[in-house]
Protein backbone atom coordinates (compact mmCIF):
# COMPACT_ATOMS: atom_id res chain seq x y z
CA UNK A 1 0.00 0.00 0.00
CA UNK A 2 1.39 3.35 -1.04
CA UNK A 3 0.25 6.25 1.14
CA UNK A 4 -0.65 9.17 -1.12
CA UNK A 5 1.40 12.35 -0.85
CA UNK A 6 -0.16 15.71 -1.60
CA UNK A 7 2.58 18.31 -1.99
CA UNK A 8 2.22 22.04 -2.59
CA UNK A 9 4.88 23.86 -4.58
CA UNK A 10 4.44 27.53 -3.82
CA UNK A 11 7.09 28.63 -6.34
CA UNK A 12 7.96 32.34 -5.84
CA UNK A 13 4.75 33.35 -4.09
CA UNK A 14 3.77 34.64 -0.63
CA UNK A 15 5.41 36.82 2.02
CA UNK A 16 6.21 35.54 5.53
CA UNK A 17 2.96 37.06 6.79
CA UNK A 18 0.92 35.46 4.02
CA UNK A 19 2.60 32.14 4.85
CA UNK A 20 1.48 32.26 8.48
CA UNK A 21 -1.99 33.37 7.40
CA UNK A 22 -2.28 30.43 4.98
CA UNK A 23 -1.50 27.92 7.72
CA UNK A 24 -4.02 29.44 10.10
CA UNK A 25 -6.76 28.82 7.55
CA UNK A 26 -5.40 25.56 6.14
CA UNK A 27 -4.69 23.63 9.35
CA UNK A 28 -8.29 23.15 10.52
CA UNK A 29 -9.31 22.04 7.01
CA UNK A 30 -6.89 19.10 7.00
CA UNK A 31 -6.87 18.27 10.69
CA UNK A 32 -8.67 14.98 10.09
CA UNK A 33 -6.96 14.09 6.81
CA UNK A 34 -5.09 10.93 7.74
CA UNK A 35 -5.41 9.16 4.38
CA UNK A 36 -2.39 10.94 2.95
CA UNK A 37 0.81 12.77 3.76
CA UNK A 38 0.82 16.53 3.24
CA UNK A 39 3.81 18.66 2.29
CA UNK A 40 4.19 22.36 1.53
CA UNK A 41 7.28 23.84 -0.12
CA UNK A 42 7.47 27.63 0.28
CA UNK A 43 10.30 29.87 -0.96
CA UNK A 44 13.46 29.49 1.16
CA UNK A 45 12.93 32.75 3.04
CA UNK A 46 9.52 31.62 4.35
CA UNK A 47 10.48 28.10 5.39
CA UNK A 48 11.08 29.14 9.01
CA UNK A 49 7.63 30.78 9.20
CA UNK A 50 6.05 27.67 7.64
CA UNK A 51 7.83 25.27 10.00
CA UNK A 52 6.71 27.36 12.95
CA UNK A 53 3.12 27.55 11.71
CA UNK A 54 2.97 23.81 10.95
CA UNK A 55 4.38 22.72 14.32
CA UNK A 56 2.30 19.99 15.96
CA UNK A 57 0.47 19.15 12.70
CA UNK A 58 1.05 16.39 10.14
CA UNK A 59 2.05 18.93 7.50
CA UNK A 60 5.68 18.53 6.44
CA UNK A 61 7.65 21.46 5.05
CA UNK A 62 10.13 21.36 2.20
CA UNK A 63 12.44 23.40 0.00
CA UNK A 64 11.98 23.88 -3.75
CA UNK A 65 15.63 23.31 -4.59
CA UNK A 66 18.90 22.55 -2.81
CA UNK A 67 22.59 22.89 -3.60
CA UNK A 68 24.84 19.82 -3.42
CA UNK A 69 27.74 21.14 -1.34
CA UNK A 70 27.31 21.19 2.44
CA UNK A 71 28.74 24.69 2.74
CA UNK A 72 31.24 26.90 0.98
CA UNK A 73 31.71 29.96 -1.18
CA UNK A 74 28.55 29.52 -3.26
CA UNK A 75 26.84 32.89 -3.11
CA UNK A 76 23.08 32.62 -3.16
CA UNK A 77 22.87 28.88 -2.58
CA UNK A 78 21.27 26.87 0.25
CA UNK A 79 22.51 23.46 1.39
CA UNK A 80 20.68 20.31 2.44
CA UNK A 81 21.94 20.39 6.06
CA UNK A 82 20.69 24.01 6.25
CA UNK A 83 17.22 22.96 5.12
CA UNK A 84 17.25 20.04 7.49
CA UNK A 85 18.29 22.14 10.47
CA UNK A 86 15.49 24.58 9.71
CA UNK A 87 12.97 21.75 10.12
CA UNK A 88 12.45 20.70 6.50
CA UNK A 89 11.41 17.17 5.77
CA UNK A 90 11.12 17.37 1.96
CA UNK A 91 12.82 18.98 -1.00
CA UNK A 92 11.71 19.29 -4.62
CA UNK A 93 14.53 18.55 -7.06
CA UNK A 94 14.75 19.01 -10.83
CA UNK A 95 11.51 20.92 -11.31
CA UNK A 96 11.05 21.81 -14.98
CA UNK A 97 11.28 25.52 -14.16
CA UNK A 98 14.75 24.84 -12.69
CA UNK A 99 15.64 22.86 -15.81
CA UNK A 100 14.28 25.56 -18.12
CA UNK A 101 15.50 28.77 -16.45
CA UNK A 102 18.40 27.71 -14.24
CA UNK A 103 20.30 25.18 -16.33
CA UNK A 104 19.34 22.15 -14.23
CA UNK A 105 20.50 18.91 -15.86
CA UNK A 106 20.00 15.24 -15.02
CA UNK A 107 23.54 15.28 -13.67
CA UNK A 108 22.85 18.13 -11.24
CA UNK A 109 19.53 16.52 -10.28
CA UNK A 110 21.49 13.48 -9.17
CA UNK A 111 24.01 15.55 -7.19
CA UNK A 112 21.25 17.45 -5.41
CA UNK A 113 19.34 14.24 -4.68
CA UNK A 114 22.39 12.58 -3.15
CA UNK A 115 23.07 15.65 -1.00
CA UNK A 116 19.44 15.78 0.15
CA UNK A 117 19.45 12.08 1.08
CA UNK A 118 22.70 12.43 2.97
CA UNK A 119 21.18 15.21 5.04
CA UNK A 120 18.10 13.12 5.79
CA UNK A 121 15.69 15.02 3.53
CA UNK A 122 13.13 13.25 1.35
CA UNK A 123 13.63 14.29 -2.28
CA UNK A 124 10.69 14.73 -4.67
CA UNK A 125 12.47 14.29 -7.98
CA UNK A 126 10.67 15.76 -11.00
CA UNK A 127 10.67 14.42 -14.53
CA UNK A 128 8.54 15.30 -17.54
CA UNK A 129 8.54 16.06 -21.25
CA UNK A 130 7.92 19.35 -23.07
CA UNK A 131 5.10 19.79 -25.58
CA UNK A 132 7.58 19.62 -28.44
CA UNK A 133 8.98 16.35 -27.12
CA UNK A 134 5.50 14.87 -26.68
CA UNK A 135 4.39 15.93 -30.15
CA UNK A 136 7.61 14.59 -31.60
CA UNK A 137 6.92 11.17 -30.05
CA UNK A 138 9.89 11.50 -27.69
CA UNK A 139 8.03 11.31 -24.35
CA UNK A 140 9.33 7.88 -23.37
CA UNK A 141 12.89 8.50 -24.48
CA UNK A 142 12.96 11.79 -22.53
CA UNK A 143 11.55 10.14 -19.40
CA UNK A 144 13.99 7.25 -19.78
CA UNK A 145 16.91 9.66 -20.10
CA UNK A 146 15.83 11.75 -17.10
CA UNK A 147 15.40 8.57 -15.07
CA UNK A 148 18.72 7.06 -16.16
CA UNK A 149 20.69 10.26 -15.49
CA UNK A 150 19.00 11.73 -12.44
CA UNK A 151 17.66 8.71 -10.54
CA UNK A 152 19.08 5.46 -11.92
CA UNK A 153 22.56 5.87 -10.37
CA UNK A 154 21.14 5.90 -6.81
CA UNK A 155 21.72 2.72 -4.85
CA UNK A 156 18.60 0.74 -3.84
CA UNK A 157 18.57 2.09 -0.27
CA UNK A 158 18.82 5.64 -1.54
CA UNK A 159 16.16 5.01 -4.16
CA UNK A 160 13.76 3.67 -1.51
CA UNK A 161 13.71 7.12 0.10
CA UNK A 162 12.74 9.23 -2.90
CA UNK A 163 9.41 10.19 -4.42
CA UNK A 164 9.15 10.76 -8.17
CA UNK A 165 6.91 13.46 -9.65
CA UNK A 166 5.79 13.19 -13.26
CA UNK A 167 5.14 16.72 -14.48
CA UNK A 168 4.54 17.14 -18.20
CA UNK A 169 5.90 20.63 -18.90
CA UNK A 170 2.96 21.47 -21.20
CA UNK A 171 0.55 20.96 -18.29
CA UNK A 172 2.32 23.18 -15.76
CA UNK A 173 0.54 26.45 -15.05
CA UNK A 174 -1.34 26.17 -18.34
CA UNK A 175 -4.68 24.88 -17.09
CA UNK A 176 -4.12 22.02 -19.52
CA UNK A 177 -4.01 18.94 -17.26
CA UNK A 178 -2.87 15.63 -18.66
CA UNK A 179 -5.89 13.38 -18.95
CA UNK A 180 -5.90 10.63 -16.32
CA UNK A 181 -5.11 8.20 -19.18
CA UNK A 182 -2.07 10.15 -20.41
CA UNK A 183 -0.78 10.58 -16.86
CA UNK A 184 -1.38 6.94 -16.09
CA UNK A 185 0.50 5.83 -19.18
CA UNK A 186 3.52 7.96 -18.27
CA UNK A 187 3.41 6.75 -14.66
CA UNK A 188 3.34 3.17 -15.94
CA UNK A 189 6.36 3.84 -18.11
CA UNK A 190 8.32 5.42 -15.24
CA UNK A 191 7.37 2.53 -12.96
CA UNK A 192 8.64 0.08 -15.58
CA UNK A 193 11.96 1.93 -15.64
CA UNK A 194 12.09 1.56 -11.85
CA UNK A 195 11.33 -2.15 -12.18
CA UNK A 196 14.11 -2.71 -14.69
CA UNK A 197 16.67 -0.84 -12.64
CA UNK A 198 15.67 -1.54 -9.02
CA UNK A 199 13.39 -4.59 -9.25
CA UNK A 200 9.71 -5.36 -8.87
CA UNK A 201 9.48 -4.61 -5.14
CA UNK A 202 10.94 -1.13 -5.62
CA UNK A 203 8.57 -0.52 -8.54
CA UNK A 204 5.65 -1.52 -6.37
CA UNK A 205 6.75 0.65 -3.48
CA UNK A 206 7.83 3.92 -5.10
CA UNK A 207 5.38 6.78 -5.02
CA UNK A 208 4.91 8.61 -8.30
CA UNK A 209 3.05 11.92 -8.06
CA UNK A 210 1.35 13.69 -10.93
CA UNK A 211 1.88 17.44 -11.34
CA UNK A 212 0.56 19.96 -13.86
CA UNK A 213 -2.64 21.98 -13.39
CA UNK A 214 -4.00 19.76 -10.62
CA UNK A 215 -7.16 21.47 -9.32
CA UNK A 216 -9.93 20.56 -6.87
CA UNK A 217 -12.15 19.53 -9.79
CA UNK A 218 -9.74 17.16 -11.56
CA UNK A 219 -7.83 15.63 -8.64
CA UNK A 220 -10.36 12.88 -8.01
CA UNK A 221 -10.13 11.44 -11.52
CA UNK A 222 -6.35 11.59 -11.44
CA UNK A 223 -6.18 9.91 -8.04
CA UNK A 224 -8.54 7.18 -9.30
CA UNK A 225 -5.71 5.89 -11.52
CA UNK A 226 -3.94 2.96 -9.91
CA UNK A 227 -0.44 4.27 -10.66
CA UNK A 228 -0.94 7.84 -9.43
CA UNK A 229 0.14 8.16 -5.79
CA UNK A 230 -0.44 11.82 -5.15
CA UNK A 231 -0.03 15.26 -6.62
CA UNK A 232 2.53 18.04 -6.84
CA UNK A 233 0.39 21.15 -6.95
CA UNK A 234 1.48 24.64 -7.92
CA UNK A 235 -1.15 27.34 -8.39
CA UNK A 236 -3.97 25.50 -6.63
CA UNK A 237 -1.86 25.02 -3.47
CA UNK A 238 -1.68 28.76 -2.78
CA UNK A 239 -5.20 29.11 -1.45
CA UNK A 240 -6.16 27.18 1.73
CA UNK A 241 -9.61 25.98 0.61
CA UNK A 242 -8.38 24.93 -2.78
CA UNK A 243 -5.38 22.95 -1.49
CA UNK A 244 -7.48 21.44 1.30
CA UNK A 245 -10.02 20.12 -1.21
CA UNK A 246 -7.17 18.60 -3.20
CA UNK A 247 -5.77 16.99 -0.04
CA UNK A 248 -9.24 15.70 0.81
CA UNK A 249 -9.92 14.42 -2.70
P1 LIG B 1 0.67 23.99 -11.50
O1 LIG B 1 2.21 23.70 -11.18
O2 LIG B 1 -0.13 23.13 -10.56
O3 LIG B 1 0.49 25.46 -11.24
O4 LIG B 1 0.45 23.61 -12.92
C1 LIG B 1 2.65 22.41 -10.87
C2 LIG B 1 4.13 22.41 -10.60
O5 LIG B 1 4.84 23.17 -11.28
O6 LIG B 1 4.63 21.68 -9.71
Amino acid sequence: MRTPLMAGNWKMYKSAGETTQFFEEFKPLVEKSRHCEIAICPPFVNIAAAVEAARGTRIGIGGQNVFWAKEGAYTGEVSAPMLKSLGCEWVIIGHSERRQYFAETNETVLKRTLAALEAGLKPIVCVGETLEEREGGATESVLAEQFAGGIGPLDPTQFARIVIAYEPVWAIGTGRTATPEIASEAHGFIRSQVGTKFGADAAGAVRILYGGSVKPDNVKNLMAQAGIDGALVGGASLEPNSFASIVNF
Side-chain angles (χ1 to χ4, degrees):
M1 262 311 281
R2 301 186 294 261
T3 307
L5 168 63
M6 297 310 212
N9 170 14
W10 281 2
K11 309 194 179 185
M12 200 174 70
Y13 290 101
K14 290 194 194 295
S15 64
E18 287 164 348
T19 301
T20 308
Q21 176 71 30
F22 173 94
F23 279 90
E24 268 167 36
E25 293 169 34
F26 181 66
K27 281 191 290 190
L29 302 174
V30 298
E31 213 169 31
K32 298 196 178 74
S33 312
R34 309 212 159 258
H35 60 285
C36 70
E37 288 183 57
I38 308 168
I40 292 182
C41 303
F44 287 138
V45 291
N46 295 327
I47 286 175
V51 167
E52 187 50 42
R55 207 176 291 287
T57 72
R58 298 175 57 256
I59 308 163
I61 305 302
Q64 299 172 11
N65 182 30
V66 64
F67 191 61
W68 51 81
K70 285 196 180 74
E71 58 179 13
Y74 301 104
T75 303
E77 293 300 313
V78 171
S79 77
M82 289 172 184
L83 290 179
K84 182 71 183 177
S85 71
L86 214 46
C88 280
E89 192 180 334
W90 301 95
V91 63
I92 298 169
I93 295 175
H95 189 278
S96 64
E97 285 151 17
R98 301 296 316 170
R99 294 179 189 258
Q100 193 179 346
Y101 307 129
F102 303 98
E104 186 83 77
T105 63
N106 297 329
E107 208 178 358
T108 56
V109 165
L110 177 64
K111 287 165 88 165
R112 292 180 211 279
T113 303
L114 288 167
L117 288 168
E118 199 189 330
L121 295 167
K122 297 186 268 190
I124 301 172
V125 183
C126 304
V127 297
E129 80 288 358
T130 63
L131 184 60
E132 204 180 7
E133 288 161 346
R134 173 159 287 269
E135 287 177 344
T139 299
E140 293 197 344
S141 65
V142 168
L143 294 176
E145 207 176 292
Q146 290 174 340
F147 180 83
I151 299 173
L154 298 175
D155 72 33
T157 338
Q158 291 165 335
F159 178 77
R161 291 166 52 210
I162 77 162
V163 171
I164 299 174
Y166 168 62
E167 297 207 311
V169 179
W170 46 271
I172 295 178
T174 58
R176 189 177 159 186
T177 331
T179 61
E181 293 72 29
I182 289 180
S184 176
E185 197 175 274
H187 282 228
F189 178 76
I190 295 164
R191 212 176 285 283
S192 76
Q193 299 284 298
V194 175
T196 307
K197 176 75 200 181
F198 295 103
D201 287 353
V206 67
R207 286 184 288 184
I208 306 179
L209 314 183
Y210 169 78
S213 298
V214 175
K215 307 287 177 212
D217 63 2
N218 60 25
V219 64
K220 209 177 163 136
N221 283 341
L222 288 160
M223 289 305 292
Q225 303 293 316
I228 300 184
D229 306 312
L232 182 53
V233 187
S237 72
L238 291 167
E239 201 277 310
N241 280 298
S242 150
F243 192 43
S245 38
I246 290 174
V247 166
N248 298 324
F249 66 94

